Amino acid sequence: MTLQNDLQAAFGFLNQGKFKQALKQSKGGMKRHKSHPDFPNIAGISLSGLGKHRDAVPYFKKALALAPGFHDARKNLAQTLLFLEQGETAMKLLDRVLADQPGDQGALYLKAQAHLVQNDPEAAIATANSALAGDSKQPRMLRLRAMAWKNLGDEKAALDDYRATLRLNPDDVDALINISLPLARLMRQDEATEAAQKAVALAPQNLEARRRLASQLISNGEPAAARQQCLALLDLDPRDTQVLEMLARLNSRDQNAELLPLAQKALKAAPPRSQDRANAAFALARITDQAGDKAGFAAHNDEANACMAAQNPYDYEGAERQFSRIMAAFPEMIRPAETAQNGPRPIYVVGMPRSGTTLTETVIGSHPQVFPLGERGVPAFLLHPYLDKDQDFTAEAARDFMAEDISRLPEMPEGTAAYVDKMPDNYRLLGYLLTAYPQARFVHLCRDPRDVALSIWRGFFSGSSLTYAYDLEAMAHRFNLYGRLMQHWRQVMPGRIHDLRYEDLVGNIETESRRLADFCGLDWVEDMAHPERHEGQVLTLSNTQLRQTVHTRSVGKWEKYADVLAPFIAGLDPEIWPEIKT
């Protein structure tokens, strides 16, 4: 074949997405035309298209060895290195391209991507701004900048960029998928659902679109509709373990009995210590627990958490340093800064995950003058420099924090007197929050640590924000740090924290809801004693439990699993947790 015919055939397969044929054709071309750089470049693209990114790297390097000025191959190599999370090496390649071609939009996009891989969203935004200044109509650059804003905890800015993308193309499926979550976090439940539904309607085969819709339907309290989406996902990809785990949580006992063989097959096929293995094991833990198989539940749950712990190890020393720094920052009684807050006052509901924070938020949020915002990540994002560096939180810093925090609040109904932020981990921030918000209220959920640990151990917390959740000894270490910090806050914030026992709340919700209303400066209303009437979305693991009538079935449940929890219980400090002495 002639050079032109070989190139035409290889590019033809590539443009059709037939990567195996393109790879075969390009390898043949490499043999017949040894000095032509297009063939190794096509081979590299084909291997990347097949998901074999590491194997693609030598081919791109070969293309560059043949033609050092071949910037398309250089950009392809950079993109492949980004898939391999080698941001620094990719950045050097892209700087070389941009030195020769400063306005290369493809290289600028990849450079912004490289900044994200290097966990530098501010630099990603700066690069995106530079590219968009020259051409504002770049959907993928807008989507990437939105992702960077999201990494900085600025849901509003992310929403603006996704909206700009959709103005360019209302049927942009990626933008519809991605806009749904910030809409949900900004309490625009209907719009979030509509965006995900439109994405599925436009691209029924798109797995991410259906996953997002299923998650939103769960948050909306529509488990039957969410289950149908999960079943459709499994039809599209029976090996999707993420959906398998989600479906196991939605299924009844009989439905999970039918799912059991598929979950067992998925576990057998999954690589050791992988995310797929964790998903399949969590699904099997749910199925066996429903079936009353305690030994099976314990074995599968242990394996699932071991997989997660291997991927996200807990940093004992880092946690110790952070908690010591927080307490050192507030050695004496806290005197709030003189801040002029306009608008609703914050009510912070804090505690450990699974301690009852969602239930408590719903009780308070049932008041007509209170707007429940769920778990806001904004305060932690903004206070991050103070948590991990010896930086003084001055009165000026408090005012700056408050102004930025308020600017990121969603719109609230007219007449809202207070909003609830129920991010459990905000217990670390109480001193900073009181300094910035003198009128804030702080509700702390206290629950038997063994019941909390069991609930965490049985749950699936994706990502790396709760690394202690995957290891019982690490969990005990974190609980001790948390308990010690709460003791400190009570000393330096006397009278500012309402300790609410979960057991009391579920045991007598009317009495405790009245006390909550009084502490928060609200007139009690009957709906506060009926959280099961809640109709809004719930973006946490409690989304199915919340819509049940309040009950005490989870109180003392740890006793049945005392042997499973033994490493956790043994690691608790009895001086911090006196209840374990009995």
Side-chain angles (χ1 to χ4, degrees):
M1 293 181 71
T2 65
L3 170 63
Q4 191 60 36
N5 287 340
D6 276 336
L7 283 173
Q8 188 174 354
F11 277 121
F13 286 129
L14 195 63
N15 292 333
Q16 297 174 58
K18 297 180 179 179
F19 298 120
K20 288 184 179 180
Q21 294 94 321
L23 180 61
K24 182 178 179 181
Q25 189 70 38
S26 60
K27 283 184 174 180
M30 287 170 63
K31 290 179 181 178
R32 289 185 287 274
H33 314 286
K34 292 182 171 55
S35 62
H36 202 290
D38 275 342
F39 293 108
N41 184 49
I42 294 170
I45 296 171
S46 302
L47 285 164
S48 281
L50 293 167
K52 299 180 179 180
H53 305 299
R54 206 170 296 279
D55 294 341
V57 170
Y59 287 95
F60 293 128
K61 289 183 175 179
K62 181 176 178 64
L64 288 169
L66 292 170
F70 191 4
H71 284 323
D72 280 349
R74 187 166 278 108
K75 286 186 287 186
N76 290 335
L77 175 56
Q79 176 72 84
T80 302
L81 292 172
L82 291 176
F83 282 127
L84 297 170
E85 297 192 353
Q86 297 180 26
E88 186 176 352
T89 307
M91 188 70 77
K92 292 176 181 177
L93 292 166
L94 295 167
D95 284 341
R96 166 80 186 275
V97 176
L98 291 166
D100 291 346
Q101 301 169 182
D104 189 314
Q105 295 297 318
L108 286 169
Y109 174 78
L110 291 172
K111 184 173 181 178
Q113 261 194 335
H115 285 307
L116 283 182
V117 168
Q118 293 176 295
N119 196 28
D120 191 351
E122 291 95 341
I125 290 168
T127 299
N129 288 344
S130 175
L132 290 166
D135 178 9
S136 63
K137 297 181 178 180
Q138 297 186 64
R140 67 173 185 170
M141 189 67 84
L142 286 165
R143 291 197 303 268
L144 187 145
R145 189 171 67 179
M147 190 181 303
W149 285 122
K150 179 184 170 186
N151 289 354
L152 288 171
D154 196 336
E155 304 285 359
K156 282 187 174 180
L159 192 61
D160 287 343
D161 276 343
Y162 287 131
R163 281 178 167 158
T165 307
L166 290 169
R167 281 195 293 272
L168 296 172
N169 176 13
D171 294 339
D172 187 318
V173 172
D174 285 340
L176 287 166
I177 295 168
N178 288 316
I179 199 174
S180 178
L181 188 55
L183 281 169
R185 287 178 174 163
L186 290 168
M187 313 311 292
R188 305 171 96 152
Q189 176 183 358
D190 292 343
E191 293 175 67
T193 307
E194 288 168 9
Q197 287 173 333
K198 184 176 180 180
V200 170
L202 289 168
Q205 309 295 312
N206 189 303
L207 301 181
E208 286 302 318
R210 286 194 181 273
R211 264 195 218 106
R212 177 67 205 115
L213 178 55
S215 296
Q216 186 59 40
L217 290 169
I218 292 172
S219 301
N220 294 350
E222 302 178 61
R227 183 172 182 272
Q228 290 307 310
Q229 291 300 322
C230 288
L231 292 172
L233 276 162
L234 281 183
D235 285 342
L236 291 170
D237 183 4
R239 298 170 297 178
D240 190 331
T241 59
Q242 182 181 344
V243 174
L244 186 68
E245 187 277 331
M246 190 185 301
L247 186 58
R249 282 188 277 123
L250 292 168
N251 276 346
S252 67
R253 178 174 174 171
D254 290 342
Q255 289 166 339
N256 266 339
E258 296 177 10
L259 190 65
L260 178 61
L262 184 60
Q264 290 172 327
K265 183 178 179 181
L267 184 71
K268 187 175 181 180
R273 293 295 189 262
S274 65
Q275 184 63 60
D276 280 336
R277 194 165 189 86
N279 292 339
F282 273 124
L284 284 165
R286 168 70 175 167
I287 294 169
T288 50
D289 194 26
Q290 274 186 323
D293 179 1
K294 179 187 168 185
F297 156 74
H300 289 307
N301 209 59
D302 283 350
E303 179 171 17
N305 280 293
C307 291
M308 296 300 293
Q311 297 171 58
N312 304 283
Y314 176 63
D315 183 357
Y316 284 82
E317 293 182 0
E320 292 272 5
R321 284 194 301 271
Q322 186 184 83
F323 278 67
S324 296
R325 185 178 292 112
I326 292 169
M327 286 190 281
F330 299 94
E332 301 172 345
M333 190 175 299
I334 296 172
R335 301 190 183 283
E338 293 182 7
T339 53
Q341 180 194 347
N342 295 316
R345 68 177 181 276
I347 300 172
Y348 295 101
V349 177
V350 302
M352 291 303 280
R354 313 297 293 156
S355 63
T357 54
T358 301
L359 173 61
T360 304
E361 179 202 32
T362 307
V363 170
I364 304 171
S366 297
H367 194 283
Q369 292 181 310
V370 177
F371 197 57
L373 297 184
E375 298 182 355
R376 293 185 70 235
V378 174
F381 276 110
L382 298 179
L383 292 170
H384 178 74
Y386 301 96
L387 298 179
D388 292 324
K389 297 177 183 176
D390 292 321
Q391 191 169 332
D392 290 337
F393 194 62
T394 62
E396 182 180 2
R399 287 189 286 271
D400 290 344
F401 160 75
M402 185 188 71
E404 184 64 25
D405 187 41
I406 290 174
S407 75
R408 300 192 189 188
L409 287 170
E411 295 178 8
M412 300 184 215
E414 188 175 346
T416 299
Y419 63 85
V420 184
D421 179 346
K422 60 130 301 193
M423 177 65 78
D425 213 36
N426 278 348
Y427 71 82
R428 298 175 304 149
L429 314 180
L430 297 195
Y432 304 97
L433 296 173
L434 176 58
T435 303
Y437 289 106
Q439 304 305 315
R441 302 289 194 273
F442 302 97
V443 179
H444 170 230
L445 265 295
C446 308
R447 186 181 180 186
D448 188 309
R450 295 160 295 192
D451 276 333
V452 178
L454 175 62
S455 190
I456 291 175
W457 193 239
R458 289 156 62 100
F460 174 28
F461 296 89
S462 59
S464 58
S465 59
L466 298 176
T467 54
Y468 60 86
Y470 316 127
D471 182 292
L472 288 169
E473 292 181 2
M475 204 186 302
H477 181 264
R478 185 70 169 206
F479 271 56
N480 289 337
L481 290 177
Y482 148 72
R484 193 173 300 122
L485 181 57
M486 288 310 305
Q487 290 177 347
H488 177 75
W489 290 137
R490 292 186 192 100
Q491 291 173 1
V492 298
M493 299 170 55
R496 299 306 301 258
I497 301 171
H498 177 64
D499 287 313
L500 172 61
R501 292 187 70 248
Y502 171 82
E503 294 80 1
D504 293 340
L505 180 63
V506 297
N508 191 336
I509 192 161
E510 180 172 335
T511 296
E512 293 306 322
S513 65
R514 286 180 180 275
R515 289 175 178 166
L516 266 176
D518 183 59
F519 176 77
C520 295
L522 303 167
D523 294 326
W524 182 82
V525 297
E526 185 186 356
D527 279 350
M528 295 180 73
H530 294 281
E532 72 278 2
R533 296 174 181 171
H534 175 75
E535 295 181 353
Q537 66 179 4
V538 181
L539 298 171
T540 69
L541 282 176
S542 304
N543 40 39
T544 54
Q545 299 159 312
L546 183 64
R547 294 176 171 92
Q548 304 171 15
T549 303
V550 173
H551 58 78
T552 60
R553 292 193 296 272
S554 295
V555 175
K557 199 169 185 177
W558 70 270
E559 293 179 8
K560 180 181 176 182
Y561 299 92
D563 54 339
V564 176
L565 295 173
F568 169 78
I569 297 170
L572 289 177
D573 184 343
E575 298 305 314
I576 298 173
W577 306 102
E579 53 264 63
I580 69 170
K581 294 178 181 178
T582 58

